[in-house]
Amino acid sequence: TETILYLLFSQAFYFISATLFNHLTENPELCKASTGFVIKLLVSHFEEWASTNHPDLIPILKAEFEYVMQAANVLVIDKSVLLNSEVVHHIFTKLNLAQIKIILKSFTPDELSGPSEGEVSDDILRSLTPNSSGDETRLDPFKLVSKTN
């Protein structure tokens, strides 16, 4: 039954994460720092629930929410950091360059953006040119997750 519980929660967490990620990338008005902080807060509520009720689910939760958490990090990070491709690949291990770029193209500074945050520069967008034109920007919320994920 532990395996079934693991798979059930893995699939549910991945579905929520993928759906949130796709909603974010398909709605440019959401691409702002305040949305990134809201996503981080919402995921922390899941983590709090898991730590109280099923601590063994925390690694699963962190793994399956990684896409949407990295998208939230794109929204709240100092955008100048993204000029360094090594740093980008180190920080954003799940997101591909096309996914990062689609979020940044829609980014709008708001009251929670850092003081140096303005429009994302063309230099940053150019530095994020995908290696291949086949990089997917959407996540399939119905992808089956496995115990090895």
Side-chain angles (χ1 to χ4, degrees), residues 5 16 19 25 28 50 56 58 66-67 70 75 84 87 101 110 112-113 116 120 125-126 129 140 143 147:
L5 180 70
I16 294 166
T19 302
T25 59
D56 53 316
I58 292 174
E66 196 165 359
Y67 280 102
Q70 287 188 13
L75 295 172
N84 184 327
V87 171
K101 193 170 186 174
D110 65 4
L112 294 180
S113 299
S116 64
V120 176
L125 293 175
R126 273 193 299 279
T129 302
D140 178 4
K143 176 190 101 174
K147 190 165 169 108

Side-chain angles (χ1 to χ4, degrees), residues 27-68:
N27 293 279
E29 68 277 7
L30 296 177
C31 292
K32 49 191 175 186
S34 57
T35 302
F37 287 116
V38 167
I39 290 169
K40 289 173 168 286
L41 180 64
L42 291 173
V43 172
S44 76
H45 289 299
F46 279 103
E47 290 174 347
E48 182 181 349
W49 172 84
S51 68
T52 303
N53 298 290
H54 293 282
D56 53 316
L57 292 177
I58 292 174
I60 299 164
L61 185 145
K62 287 185 181 294
E64 301 306 340
F65 275 98
E66 196 165 359
Y67 280 102
V68 77

Side-chain angles (χ1 to χ4, degrees), residues 13-28 30-31 35 39 43 64-75 92 94-103 136-141:
F13 293 152
Y14 178 80
F15 177 83
I16 294 166
S17 178
T19 302
L20 278 171
F21 178 87
N22 291 337
H23 190 68
L24 176 68
T25 59
E26 294 166 1
N27 293 279
L30 296 177
C31 292
T35 302
I39 290 169
V43 172
E64 301 306 340
F65 275 98
E66 196 165 359
Y67 280 102
V68 77
M69 288 298 286
Q70 287 188 13
N73 288 339
V74 171
L75 295 172
F92 302 106
K94 289 287 187 182
L95 299 182
N96 63 47
L97 294 179
Q99 290 167 328
I100 296 169
K101 193 170 186 174
I102 200 168
I103 294 168
E136 280 291 319
T137 56
R138 287 183 47 79
L139 298 177
D140 178 4

